[in-house]
Amino acid sequence: MKKKLLSVLLCATMVAALFAGCGSKEEEAAAEPAAEEAEEPAKEAEEPAEETAEAATEGCPGVDGLNIGICIYKFDDNFMTLYRTELQKYLEAGGATVTVMDGKNDQAEQTNQIQNFITQGVDVLIINLVQSSAAEQVTDQCAAANIPVVFINREPEAAEEERWASEGIAATYVGADARQSGTYQGEIVLATENKGDFNGDGKVSYVMVMGDPENIDAQYRTEFSIKALTDAGVEVEKLDEQRGDWDQAKGQEIVANALTANGDAVEVVFCNNDAMALGALQAIEAAGRTVGEDIMLLGVDALVEALENVQSGKMTGTVFNDHIGQSHAAAEIAGKMAAGEAVDVQNMVDYIKVTNENAADILALLQ
Ligand code: BGC
């Protein structure tokens, strides 16, 4: 039942929840109580939940017979692997023919892949850019070929999105507002007894492990996690801030160095994603520190391993980056654009805060 309720809850928290997509019709029957029971979300949860209940379906609606090209910034990324697997599954279940390319973290390589898709004449492109700054060039290439494009995960500049609207270009972005995930990380710390001040010196001394700093998710999570603390009147001290490029090994190295340099002074480790938090946990344990007793550790994404750590207390918390909601929204919007429908230039899906109180529910949802 929990699983069913959560699935409804997830649908309910999608800002763009009109795009249906999680759960079966039977599951959706329990929609209303779910929104009320939900701890976390959900501004205006009830209404979208009902709408979602109507539209639920197994495969993606509106994509049958379409030829869809998908470009992922690199396959070797834990979160984007979950995302692309779900995206492909949902599109293919809806009857689309899907080709997925690995950009290998190289924008020039990805730009070639996009060019090839354009030459093949795909009906619509779904693109996770290597560099968000390539959006303008890529959009113009697609527009010249009359191929609509759905950008995912790495959001282009606001000015570029405004250009799509003002020039009537068939381009859109589907993602999540990373400010929310940063704020949730800070709120998880604030909800603890000592609010992150283990040594009682009146301030929270932290280490920040950033993703790729060109990525707006990394910028916002870094800023808003700390802003949540300072907005609540908590004094903070930044001991270290390094880019870990979303990578577990780099997270481990950065936190190991920070712990060597600052010792027990480190009270909270914020990681912009779970992969880096898993690396950070290795460093924390190797340094003889214990999460929950003398240090806190936070991530984002809700990878299964991270959820298990939250459940067992080895991580203080994470934030569910809803790859199911995001991939379904991207797929459905791609179908609409291929059919010539106008769509909003920005489509956001909500995050969900995860602590040991609801980690099991999110785990159940993902399994
Ligand atoms: C995720 C990261 C991922 C990145 C890729 C972020 O939203 O939280 O785990 O590496 O997207 O762009």
Side-chain angles (χ1 to χ4, degrees):
M1 190 60 180
K2 266 267 151 66
K3 183 170 175 181
K4 289 179 183 175
L5 289 177
L6 250 165
S7 124
V8 175
L9 161 61
L10 270 182
C11 293
T13 60
M14 288 171 63
V15 168
L18 315 167
F19 315 111
C22 25
S24 67
K25 278 214 157 85
E26 295 77 54
E27 284 174 353
E28 308 297 340
E32 283 189 17
E36 271 150 39
E37 271 181 35
E39 248 202 36
E40 211 12 73
K43 324 141 200 165
E44 300 150 45
E46 287 167 26
E47 194 190 323
E50 278 166 27
E51 296 191 31
T52 310
E54 300 300 312
T57 166
E58 295 269 302
C60 181
V63 297
D64 194 15
L66 291 181
N67 190 2
I68 301 181
I70 300 177
C71 294
I72 300 296
Y73 93 101
K74 65 169 182 173
F75 278 5
D76 181 20
D77 176 294
N78 313 42
F79 173 74
M80 285 314 302
T81 299
L82 295 173
Y83 190 126
R84 80 180 141 89
T85 307
E86 183 64 32
L87 179 61
Q88 183 166 6
K89 200 173 76 182
Y90 190 54
L91 284 168
E92 286 175 346
T97 301
V98 176
T99 311
V100 191
M101 299 302 293
D102 179 0
K104 302 192 178 123
N105 210 18
D106 178 344
Q107 187 56 59
E109 166 125 16
Q110 187 179 67
T111 303
N112 277 336
Q113 295 167 350
I114 293 168
Q115 198 49 60
N116 285 340
F117 276 135
I118 291 175
T119 308
Q120 287 164 29
V122 293
D123 295 306
V124 55
L125 277 160
I126 300 180
I127 301 179
N128 169 212
L129 286 168
V130 175
Q131 286 168 347
S132 354
S133 53
E136 185 178 351
Q137 189 205 344
V138 170
T139 303
D140 286 344
Q141 276 175 302
C142 297
N146 252 327
I147 298 176
V149 55
V150 179
F151 291 103
I152 56 168
N153 174 256
R154 295 186 156 189
E155 188 169 11
E157 299 273 325
E160 175 60 9
E161 294 180 353
E162 281 156 24
R163 184 176 80 95
W164 305 337
S166 64
E167 296 181 16
I169 298 173
T172 187
Y173 176 71
V174 178
D177 181 350
R179 286 172 286 204
Q180 187 184 41
S181 53
T183 302
Y184 281 172
Q185 284 189 317
E187 286 177 2
I188 292 171
V189 173
L190 289 172
T192 62
E193 215 180 308
N194 64 15
K195 297 186 168 54
D197 183 13
F198 284 97
N199 57 23
D201 65 354
K203 56 182 195 248
V204 173
S205 304
Y206 71 92
V207 171
M208 180 68 68
V209 186
M210 285 188 79
D212 168 2
E214 199 223 8
N215 188 321
I216 199 150
D217 285 5
Q219 294 162 18
Y220 277 156
R221 288 176 193 165
T222 299
E223 180 185 347
F224 281 78
S225 52
I226 302 308
K227 188 172 181 298
L229 297 182
T230 53
D231 282 356
V234 170
E235 198 185 320
V236 296
E237 176 191 28
K238 177 162 73 185
L239 296 173
D240 204 357
E241 180 178 297
Q242 303 282 341
R243 64 182 286 175
D245 294 317
W246 309 114
D247 181 76
Q248 176 162 351
K250 288 188 189 168
Q252 191 268 337
E253 193 184 321
I254 290 165
V255 175
N257 290 340
L259 289 171
T260 304
N262 301 286
D264 288 350
V266 182
E267 296 174 303
V268 180
V269 177
F270 289 102
C271 298
N272 283 174
N273 78 348
D274 278 348
M276 298 188 295
L278 293 173
L281 179 60
Q282 294 171 300
I284 286 170
E285 290 181 334
R289 305 285 302 274
T290 309
V291 172
E293 282 179 25
D294 55 24
I295 195 164
M296 289 187 193
L297 174 61
L298 297 116
V300 175
D301 281 344
L303 300 180
V304 166
E305 211 181 329
L307 288 169
E308 286 166 354
N309 286 332
V310 173
Q311 216 180 356
S312 68
K314 289 183 177 181
M315 280 176 62
T316 315
T318 185
V319 181
F320 181 36
N321 192 3
D322 180 2
H323 62 276
I324 301 170
Q326 290 176 54
S327 59
H328 289 198
E332 288 159 27
I333 288 172
K336 289 182 181 176
M337 291 175 95
E341 265 183 60
V343 299
D344 291 341
V345 293
Q346 200 194 47
N347 309 272
M348 294 303 202
V349 173
D350 268 347
Y351 286 96
I352 297 180
K353 198 190 289 184
V354 187
T355 64
N356 64 359
E357 280 171 28
N358 64 343
D361 294 340
I362 305 287
L363 259 176
L365 174 82
L366 297 180
Q367 274 154 5

